Amino acid sequence: MNQIITFGEVLMRISPSGNKKFIQSNQVEFYFGGTELNVGISVANFGQDVKHISCVSDDFIGDTAISFLRKFDVSTSAIVRSSRPLGVYFLEVGAVMRASSISYNRSHSSFSEIQPEMVDWEKSLEKGKWFHWTGITPALCEGGYETLKEGLILAQKKGMGISVDPTYRSGLWKWGGDSREVLSELVNYSTIFIGGVNEINELLDTDFSYSNEDFIEASKQLMEKYPTIEKVFDKIRTSINSSWHKIRARMWNGKEFKETLDLDITHIIDRIGTGDAFAAGIIHGLQKFDDYKAMEFGSAACAIKHTYLGDINYANEKEVMNILEGNTTGRLLR
């Protein structure tokens, strides 16, 4: 009973090489990703047993996506297939003062056909000790919401740890569900909240600021409304420009507040998936360390992801621990 379970859409990312705009280029690169998938692969790279549950296209693109997951030893036994195409998003990577831009093509994707009867949750969770979900999945389609809810109910009954990154994106909620009502219902099944004052304000209809004092008060009110939540972890990003950011983290575990030091990322290779890397670091860290070291591990995992091209954090546990130990100069390892 030691498997980490993730559930969500698998996407293909299409992007011009380097920092080009599409109009500049007639060649593109592709990567596989998706918020929950990114978390699952990262946790697998840290040495955990991971299963990803999804619905992908029943064609060679879906075959390739499944092969991609298997390359990282992520179990694909609960992935189902659809005649609809895999979801796609297009990315132009910014630089310095020019921001990155994303356009999604996922409204009629294979995952949009997901329905509760397509997932055997009892079998899928039989080895599970942890379940991770995000606010992306219930936003995409009613079937995603209903399927996720069934999984969460069973995971809670089994006493699994359940982490949530609520990830509110207003543009995704098109199927008629009320975002606050739906997310509020699903957060009730969760034990670890990975998000900050923006996400808490959205859930509670409050207006807390970014100060540490407001973060603590917001976390207390969150735990009061959702008694299953035991700990809150928040990633803070300070953007100097598109190529230079600072990352730190803070937490409230119901007893104490702590925060990490800034990690300076002076040359960003790719920032897509960095929040997922943080969540994966928290999930893995909580299996092995105390709350503060788990938070440090999550922050370091987030920072190192900025150095990898694509949606996935390819770092293993040792590489993240090197960051925690202060080895941030990039000195050649022999």
Side-chain angles (χ1 to χ4, degrees):
M1 307 291 289
N2 63 349
Q3 200 166 55
I4 312 293
I5 312 293
T6 54
F7 170 63
E9 184 171 25
V10 179
L11 288 169
M12 176 183 280
R13 161 177 150 187
I14 298 175
S15 186
S17 61
N19 298 91
K20 294 179 181 177
K21 295 176 70 67
F22 273 93
I23 199 169
Q24 289 180 271
S25 180
N26 59 6
Q27 292 183 323
V28 294
E29 300 170 332
F30 76 89
Y31 306 89
F32 289 106
T35 300
E36 300 85 0
L37 168 68
N38 297 342
V39 172
I41 290 179
S42 182
V43 172
N45 286 337
F46 297 146
Q48 301 280 352
D49 181 13
V50 176
K51 176 186 288 182
H52 185 66
I53 302 170
S54 191
C55 181
V56 305
S57 55
D58 191 14
D59 57 15
F60 66 92
I61 298 298
D63 293 341
T64 307
I66 288 175
S67 295
F68 181 75
L69 272 81
R70 289 174 177 165
K71 181 168 67 173
F72 299 96
D73 292 324
V74 173
S75 172
T76 60
S77 62
I79 290 181
V80 296
R81 310 298 289 268
S82 164
S83 60
R84 291 186 179 183
L86 198 75
V88 174
Y89 78 95
F90 302 91
L91 170 69
E92 291 181 338
V93 180
V96 196
M97 75 287 294
R98 176 165 60 87
S100 297
S101 298
I102 290 178
S103 177
Y104 289 101
N105 187 349
R106 66 200 300 182
S107 297
H108 302 285
S109 70
S110 50
F111 190 81
S112 70
E113 283 198 324
I114 195 80
Q115 294 294 329
E117 62 269 18
M118 297 169 70
V119 178
D120 184 342
W121 281 112
E122 191 66 49
K123 184 177 181 180
S124 297
L125 299 183
E126 62 185 354
K127 296 181 180 179
K129 68 173 178 180
W130 197 278
F131 187 99
H132 178 72
W133 67 280
T134 80
I136 298 293
T137 296
L140 291 173
C141 55
E142 188 171 7
Y145 153 63
E146 293 174 345
T147 308
L148 172 60
K149 182 179 176 180
E150 283 199 7
L152 288 172
I153 290 171
L154 183 58
Q156 187 182 65
K157 285 182 179 178
K158 288 176 171 287
M160 295 171 60
I162 302 174
S163 52
V164 53
D165 175 356
T167 324
Y168 174 71
R169 293 179 186 167
S170 59
L172 293 179
W173 290 85
K174 297 178 180 178
W175 59 269
D178 182 276
S179 59
R180 181 172 294 144
E181 183 178 310
V182 169
L183 290 175
S184 184
E185 177 189 18
L186 299 180
V187 168
N188 272 308
Y189 298 103
S190 307
T191 57
I192 303 298
F193 190 91
I194 303 174
V197 290
N198 281 343
E199 291 76 21
I200 295 174
N201 283 338
E202 182 61 35
L203 281 169
L204 303 184
D205 195 21
T206 49
D207 58 352
F208 290 107
S209 74
Y210 290 98
S211 71
N212 287 341
E213 292 74 21
D214 269 23
F215 169 72
I216 294 169
E217 182 58 32
S219 298
K220 288 179 178 178
Q221 290 193 25
L222 181 77
M223 291 176 171
E224 184 177 341
K225 181 171 182 179
Y226 306 101
T228 59
I229 298 294
E230 301 167 359
K231 300 167 187 177
V232 180
F233 294 92
D234 179 26
K235 169 183 60 66
I236 302 172
R237 178 185 300 275
T238 303
S239 298
I240 311 303
N241 57 45
S242 289
S243 306
W244 179 7
H245 293 181
K246 296 175 184 286
I247 295 293
R248 75 178 190 279
R250 58 187 176 181
M251 63 166 232
W252 174 256
N253 64 3
K255 298 177 182 178
E256 61 181 348
F257 167 83
K258 287 189 175 181
E259 65 179 334
T260 68
L261 299 174
D262 277 329
L263 287 169
D264 213 11
I265 308 159
T266 57
H267 181 68
I268 295 173
I269 302 299
D270 197 329
R271 68 161 289 181
I272 302 296
T274 54
D276 306 327
F278 176 72
I282 295 294
I283 293 167
H284 177 68
L286 289 173
Q287 316 303 312
K288 301 189 66 173
F289 312 126
D290 62 29
D291 293 346
Y292 180 68
K293 191 167 182 179
M295 178 177 61
E296 283 191 310
F297 190 89
S299 183
C302 172
I304 200 171
K305 164 59 190 79
H306 289 77
T307 71
Y308 294 110
L309 191 60
D311 294 39
I312 306 300
N313 183 16
Y314 294 94
N316 58 35
E317 183 186 86
K318 182 178 179 181
E319 290 167 328
V320 176
M321 292 302 296
N322 279 336
I323 304 298
L324 285 185
E325 292 165 2
N327 299 321
T328 58
T329 61
R331 183 177 179 180
L332 182 64
L333 300 176
R334 297 181 185 275

